[in-house]
Amino acid sequence: MIKNILYFVVLTGVVCQSYGQSLVNDGAEIMLQESAVVFSTESFVNRNNGQIKGDGTMDFAEAMNFAVINPGVVIGDLSFDSSLINSSAAGFMLDIQGNAGIGIENGHDHVFVDGDLVMNGILDIATIDGFVPATTDSFTIISYTGNISGQFTAVTLGGNLTGFAVDYTLPGQIRLVHESILSVQEATIESLQVFPNPTNDFIYIRSLDKIDRVEVYNLIGKQVLVTTKTDKVDLGRLAKGMYLVKIYSEQKFNVKKIKVQ
């Protein structure tokens, strides 16, 4: 049985349920407010120019997008607690208000997928409120925990994003970065060792190549540490969990997954 949603607004704290059936948004706007949750034991389909907007979680066995995903009212963070399959008709409309972080005021829109991600369709992204990003800024626009296949088939950059491009090189993240950053390619750093793993505090980095910089990201793409003191890196202040450690050497980098316990 398919349930069509003609108009659907999820207000603060309201949880919408549909057990044993799929949900189909047929051209309406679904607005999630203040971490609201929409869930079903089956699948969700967004189609016919339907829009998923706001801040909250879509919790389904699987989500299929044939229309528009547009986080936030101004800036927002939308989560899918499942795989997300995007068709060629899919569109992502994202804004960058500043470099304060993911899904917060003066930050940028973000989509989180707790599962596999099939990319397709169009990315339409722009700066707002006069924000001008620096060439060193990077914006994690989509994070995912599973495997990824495909890429956006077209990208439209608005506002002050001249020289920026989409980057798929970091595991678990799709970022918007300046083209000067993309000139650094992922390649093998000779005899690279990162230990211990897991760690309680420090990691040690050894290589025959000179290490220039180390960046540490959590699994939703937020940079939590950057340092040029590269032989011994202190992770002791980070919360327990998994992190991506990006290690730079001249025009190349490697990424290692490290557990802090």
Side-chain angles (χ1 to χ4, degrees), residues 85-115:
I85 301 171
N86 295 285
S87 78
S88 59
F92 284 73
M93 299 178 64
L94 307 178
D95 292 324
I96 301 174
Q97 191 180 37
N99 54 14
I102 289 171
I104 60 176
E105 185 178 358
N106 294 318
H108 63 277
D109 285 337
H110 176 256
V111 176
F112 173 72
V113 178
D114 192 7

mmCIF file of all heavy atoms in Angstrom, residues 85-115:
data_model
loop_
_atom_site.group_PDB
_atom_site.id
_atom_site.type_symbol
_atom_site.label_atom_id
_atom_site.label_comp_id
_atom_site.label_asym_id
_atom_site.label_seq_id
_atom_site.Cartn_x
_atom_site.Cartn_y
_atom_site.Cartn_z
ATOM 1 N N ILE A 85 19.130 6.970 -2.236
ATOM 2 C CA ILE A 85 19.340 6.755 -3.666
ATOM 3 C C ILE A 85 18.790 7.961 -4.414
ATOM 4 O O ILE A 85 17.596 8.268 -4.326
ATOM 5 C CB ILE A 85 18.636 5.470 -4.137
ATOM 6 C CG1 ILE A 85 19.175 4.262 -3.362
ATOM 7 C CG2 ILE A 85 18.816 5.276 -5.638
ATOM 8 C CD1 ILE A 85 18.385 2.990 -3.593
ATOM 9 N N ASN A 86 19.651 8.656 -5.136
ATOM 10 C CA ASN A 86 19.258 9.843 -5.886
ATOM 11 C C ASN A 86 19.194 9.526 -7.373
ATOM 12 O O ASN A 86 20.130 8.952 -7.932
ATOM 13 C CB ASN A 86 20.260 10.973 -5.645
ATOM 14 C CG ASN A 86 20.257 11.437 -4.210
ATOM 15 O OD1 ASN A 86 19.352 12.126 -3.771
ATOM 16 N ND2 ASN A 86 21.286 11.045 -3.457
ATOM 17 N N SER A 87 18.104 9.916 -8.016
ATOM 18 C CA SER A 87 17.955 9.699 -9.454
ATOM 19 C C SER A 87 18.537 10.887 -10.217
ATOM 20 O O SER A 87 18.953 11.889 -9.634
ATOM 21 C CB SER A 87 16.480 9.533 -9.810
ATOM 22 O OG SER A 87 15.841 10.799 -9.832
ATOM 23 N N SER A 88 18.518 10.789 -11.539
ATOM 24 C CA SER A 88 19.004 11.892 -12.370
ATOM 25 C C SER A 88 18.127 13.132 -12.236
ATOM 26 O O SER A 88 18.547 14.239 -12.575
ATOM 27 C CB SER A 88 19.066 11.459 -13.836
ATOM 28 O OG SER A 88 17.781 11.050 -14.284
ATOM 29 N N ALA A 89 16.902 12.962 -11.708
ATOM 30 C CA ALA A 89 15.997 14.095 -11.500
ATOM 31 C C ALA A 89 16.186 14.746 -10.133
ATOM 32 O O ALA A 89 15.525 15.741 -9.824
ATOM 33 C CB ALA A 89 14.548 13.643 -11.652
ATOM 34 N N ALA A 90 17.071 14.197 -9.314
ATOM 35 C CA ALA A 90 17.259 14.709 -7.957
ATOM 36 C C ALA A 90 17.952 16.063 -7.972
ATOM 37 O O ALA A 90 18.751 16.369 -8.861
ATOM 38 C CB ALA A 90 18.078 13.717 -7.135
ATOM 39 N N GLY A 91 17.646 16.862 -6.955
ATOM 40 C CA GLY A 91 18.307 18.147 -6.799
ATOM 41 C C GLY A 91 18.623 18.423 -5.343
ATOM 42 O O GLY A 91 17.815 18.129 -4.458
ATOM 43 N N PHE A 92 19.804 18.961 -5.081
ATOM 44 C CA PHE A 92 20.192 19.402 -3.744
ATOM 45 C C PHE A 92 20.350 20.912 -3.791
ATOM 46 O O PHE A 92 21.151 21.434 -4.576
ATOM 47 C CB PHE A 92 21.514 18.759 -3.309
ATOM 48 C CG PHE A 92 21.404 17.321 -2.902
ATOM 49 C CD1 PHE A 92 21.216 16.334 -3.856
ATOM 50 C CD2 PHE A 92 21.486 16.950 -1.572
ATOM 51 C CE1 PHE A 92 21.114 15.003 -3.493
ATOM 52 C CE2 PHE A 92 21.387 15.619 -1.195
ATOM 53 C CZ PHE A 92 21.198 14.638 -2.157
ATOM 54 N N MET A 93 19.585 21.633 -2.964
ATOM 55 C CA MET A 93 19.670 23.090 -2.895
ATOM 56 C C MET A 93 20.265 23.462 -1.540
ATOM 57 O O MET A 93 19.620 23.291 -0.496
ATOM 58 C CB MET A 93 18.285 23.712 -3.075
ATOM 59 C CG MET A 93 17.649 23.398 -4.416
ATOM 60 S SD MET A 93 15.981 24.098 -4.601
ATOM 61 C CE MET A 93 16.362 25.854 -4.524
ATOM 62 N N LEU A 94 21.504 23.956 -1.548
ATOM 63 C CA LEU A 94 22.246 24.192 -0.315
ATOM 64 C C LEU A 94 22.754 25.629 -0.264
ATOM 65 O O LEU A 94 23.092 26.216 -1.296
ATOM 66 C CB LEU A 94 23.429 23.229 -0.213
ATOM 67 C CG LEU A 94 23.120 21.731 -0.362
ATOM 68 C CD1 LEU A 94 24.399 20.918 -0.290
ATOM 69 C CD2 LEU A 94 22.129 21.273 0.696
ATOM 70 N N ASP A 95 22.817 26.171 0.963
ATOM 71 C CA ASP A 95 23.304 27.532 1.177
ATOM 72 C C ASP A 95 24.511 27.525 2.103
ATOM 73 O O ASP A 95 24.631 26.679 3.003
ATOM 74 C CB ASP A 95 22.216 28.408 1.807
ATOM 75 C CG ASP A 95 21.057 28.672 0.859
ATOM 76 O OD1 ASP A 95 21.308 28.823 -0.351
ATOM 77 O OD2 ASP A 95 19.907 28.722 1.332
ATOM 78 N N ILE A 96 25.389 28.507 1.894
ATOM 79 C CA ILE A 96 26.542 28.730 2.768
ATOM 80 C C ILE A 96 26.446 30.156 3.293
ATOM 81 O O ILE A 96 26.563 31.119 2.532
ATOM 82 C CB ILE A 96 27.871 28.529 2.020
ATOM 83 C CG1 ILE A 96 27.963 27.103 1.460
ATOM 84 C CG2 ILE A 96 29.052 28.822 2.941
ATOM 85 C CD1 ILE A 96 29.180 26.868 0.592
ATOM 86 N N GLN A 97 26.220 30.290 4.600
ATOM 87 C CA GLN A 97 26.090 31.610 5.219
ATOM 88 C C GLN A 97 27.406 32.069 5.844
ATOM 89 O O GLN A 97 27.611 33.251 6.091
ATOM 90 C CB GLN A 97 24.993 31.568 6.286
ATOM 91 C CG GLN A 97 24.577 32.927 6.829
ATOM 92 C CD GLN A 97 23.494 32.789 7.887
ATOM 93 O OE1 GLN A 97 23.497 31.857 8.686
ATOM 94 N NE2 GLN A 97 22.543 33.721 7.878
ATOM 95 N N GLY A 98 28.295 31.108 6.124
ATOM 96 C CA GLY A 98 29.573 31.421 6.754
ATOM 97 C C GLY A 98 30.357 30.154 6.984
ATOM 98 O O GLY A 98 29.990 29.070 6.527
ATOM 99 N N ASN A 99 31.461 30.269 7.726
ATOM 100 C CA ASN A 99 32.319 29.111 7.977
ATOM 101 C C ASN A 99 32.271 28.661 9.432
ATOM 102 O O ASN A 99 33.225 28.067 9.945
ATOM 103 C CB ASN A 99 33.762 29.412 7.559
ATOM 104 C CG ASN A 99 34.308 30.670 8.213
ATOM 105 O OD1 ASN A 99 33.725 31.183 9.171
ATOM 106 N ND2 ASN A 99 35.427 31.173 7.703
ATOM 107 N N ALA A 100 31.127 28.912 10.107
ATOM 108 C CA ALA A 100 31.000 28.562 11.523
ATOM 109 C C ALA A 100 30.801 27.069 11.744
ATOM 110 O O ALA A 100 31.009 26.582 12.860
ATOM 111 C CB ALA A 100 29.848 29.335 12.159
ATOM 112 N N GLY A 101 30.385 26.322 10.710
ATOM 113 C CA GLY A 101 30.220 24.882 10.879
ATOM 114 C C GLY A 101 28.966 24.358 10.212
ATOM 115 O O GLY A 101 28.267 25.058 9.475
ATOM 116 N N ILE A 102 28.658 23.096 10.511
ATOM 117 C CA ILE A 102 27.574 22.368 9.858
ATOM 118 C C ILE A 102 26.232 22.689 10.498
ATOM 119 O O ILE A 102 26.064 22.566 11.713
ATOM 120 C CB ILE A 102 27.840 20.852 9.933
ATOM 121 C CG1 ILE A 102 28.996 20.471 8.998
ATOM 122 C CG2 ILE A 102 26.595 20.039 9.612
ATOM 123 C CD1 ILE A 102 29.462 19.055 9.169
ATOM 124 N N GLY A 103 25.271 23.123 9.687
ATOM 125 C CA GLY A 103 23.885 23.226 10.109
ATOM 126 C C GLY A 103 23.585 24.247 11.178
ATOM 127 O O GLY A 103 22.559 24.151 11.854
ATOM 128 N N ILE A 104 24.456 25.252 11.365
ATOM 129 C CA ILE A 104 24.236 26.252 12.403
ATOM 130 C C ILE A 104 24.279 27.649 11.793
ATOM 131 O O ILE A 104 24.724 27.836 10.661
ATOM 132 C CB ILE A 104 25.282 26.148 13.533
ATOM 133 C CG1 ILE A 104 26.706 26.355 12.976
ATOM 134 C CG2 ILE A 104 25.172 24.813 14.248
ATOM 135 C CD1 ILE A 104 27.780 26.372 14.047
ATOM 136 N N GLU A 105 23.794 28.631 12.563
ATOM 137 C CA GLU A 105 23.814 30.009 12.095
ATOM 138 C C GLU A 105 25.231 30.420 11.720
ATOM 139 O O GLU A 105 26.195 30.096 12.416
ATOM 140 C CB GLU A 105 23.268 30.935 13.185
ATOM 141 C CG GLU A 105 23.138 32.383 12.750
ATOM 142 C CD GLU A 105 22.542 33.257 13.836
ATOM 143 O OE1 GLU A 105 22.198 32.723 14.911
ATOM 144 O OE2 GLU A 105 22.426 34.471 13.601
ATOM 145 N N ASN A 106 25.354 31.116 10.607
ATOM 146 C CA ASN A 106 26.647 31.515 10.048
ATOM 147 C C ASN A 106 27.507 30.311 9.658
ATOM 148 O O ASN A 106 28.730 30.415 9.561
ATOM 149 C CB ASN A 106 27.421 32.423 11.015
ATOM 150 C CG ASN A 106 26.726 33.750 11.222
ATOM 151 O OD1 ASN A 106 26.229 34.358 10.273
ATOM 152 N ND2 ASN A 106 26.658 34.205 12.468
ATOM 153 N N GLY A 107 26.852 29.197 9.424
ATOM 154 C CA GLY A 107 27.522 28.003 8.926
ATOM 155 C C GLY A 107 26.989 27.636 7.550
ATOM 156 O O GLY A 107 26.696 28.511 6.740
ATOM 157 N N HIS A 108 26.816 26.332 7.301
ATOM 158 C CA HIS A 108 26.352 25.915 5.983
ATOM 159 C C HIS A 108 25.421 24.711 6.086
ATOM 160 O O HIS A 108 25.451 23.954 7.056
ATOM 161 C CB HIS A 108 27.535 25.584 5.068
ATOM 162 C CG HIS A 108 28.370 24.428 5.531
ATOM 163 N ND1 HIS A 108 29.357 24.557 6.477
ATOM 164 C CD2 HIS A 108 28.369 23.121 5.181
ATOM 165 C CE1 HIS A 108 29.937 23.386 6.685
ATOM 166 N NE2 HIS A 108 29.346 22.494 5.921
ATOM 167 N N ASP A 109 24.586 24.552 5.060
ATOM 168 C CA ASP A 109 23.670 23.418 4.987
ATOM 169 C C ASP A 109 24.439 22.105 4.890
ATOM 170 O O ASP A 109 25.541 22.041 4.318
ATOM 171 C CB ASP A 109 22.765 23.543 3.757
ATOM 172 C CG ASP A 109 21.675 24.581 3.931
ATOM 173 O OD1 ASP A 109 21.332 24.898 5.084
ATOM 174 O OD2 ASP A 109 21.165 25.071 2.901
ATOM 175 N N HIS A 110 23.787 21.040 5.403
ATOM 176 C CA HIS A 110 24.455 19.741 5.443
ATOM 177 C C HIS A 110 23.406 18.641 5.379
ATOM 178 O O HIS A 110 22.305 18.776 5.915
ATOM 179 C CB HIS A 110 25.265 19.615 6.738
ATOM 180 C CG HIS A 110 25.920 18.282 6.929
ATOM 181 N ND1 HIS A 110 25.439 17.333 7.817
ATOM 182 C CD2 HIS A 110 27.012 17.726 6.352
ATOM 183 C CE1 HIS A 110 26.220 16.270 7.782
ATOM 184 N NE2 HIS A 110 27.177 16.474 6.901
ATOM 185 N N VAL A 111 23.760 17.534 4.717
ATOM 186 C CA VAL A 111 22.918 16.340 4.662
ATOM 187 C C VAL A 111 23.746 15.164 5.168
ATOM 188 O O VAL A 111 24.877 14.950 4.713
ATOM 189 C CB VAL A 111 22.424 16.060 3.228
ATOM 190 C CG1 VAL A 111 21.627 14.755 3.184
ATOM 191 C CG2 VAL A 111 21.573 17.219 2.722
ATOM 192 N N PHE A 112 23.174 14.408 6.118
ATOM 193 C CA PHE A 112 23.848 13.235 6.670
ATOM 194 C C PHE A 112 23.087 11.984 6.268
ATOM 195 O O PHE A 112 21.861 11.915 6.411
ATOM 196 C CB PHE A 112 23.928 13.320 8.196
ATOM 197 C CG PHE A 112 24.466 12.070 8.840
ATOM 198 C CD1 PHE A 112 25.804 11.743 8.732
ATOM 199 C CD2 PHE A 112 23.623 11.219 9.539
ATOM 200 C CE1 PHE A 112 26.306 10.583 9.315
ATOM 201 C CE2 PHE A 112 24.110 10.063 10.128
ATOM 202 C CZ PHE A 112 25.459 9.739 10.019
ATOM 203 N N VAL A 113 23.806 10.970 5.770
ATOM 204 C CA VAL A 113 23.209 9.708 5.340
ATOM 205 C C VAL A 113 23.843 8.582 6.147
ATOM 206 O O VAL A 113 25.045 8.326 6.027
ATOM 207 C CB VAL A 113 23.428 9.473 3.829
ATOM 208 C CG1 VAL A 113 22.835 8.133 3.408
ATOM 209 C CG2 VAL A 113 22.821 10.612 3.025
ATOM 210 N N ASP A 114 23.030 7.914 6.967
ATOM 211 C CA ASP A 114 23.533 6.810 7.784
ATOM 212 C C ASP A 114 23.353 5.505 7.007
ATOM 213 O O ASP A 114 22.506 4.667 7.325
ATOM 214 C CB ASP A 114 22.788 6.756 9.114
ATOM 215 C CG ASP A 114 23.463 5.812 10.104
ATOM 216 O OD1 ASP A 114 24.566 5.315 9.801
ATOM 217 O OD2 ASP A 114 22.886 5.582 11.185
ATOM 218 N N GLY A 115 24.151 5.363 5.960
ATOM 219 C CA GLY A 115 24.055 4.201 5.090
ATOM 220 C C GLY A 115 24.746 4.476 3.775
ATOM 221 O O GLY A 115 25.554 5.403 3.654
#
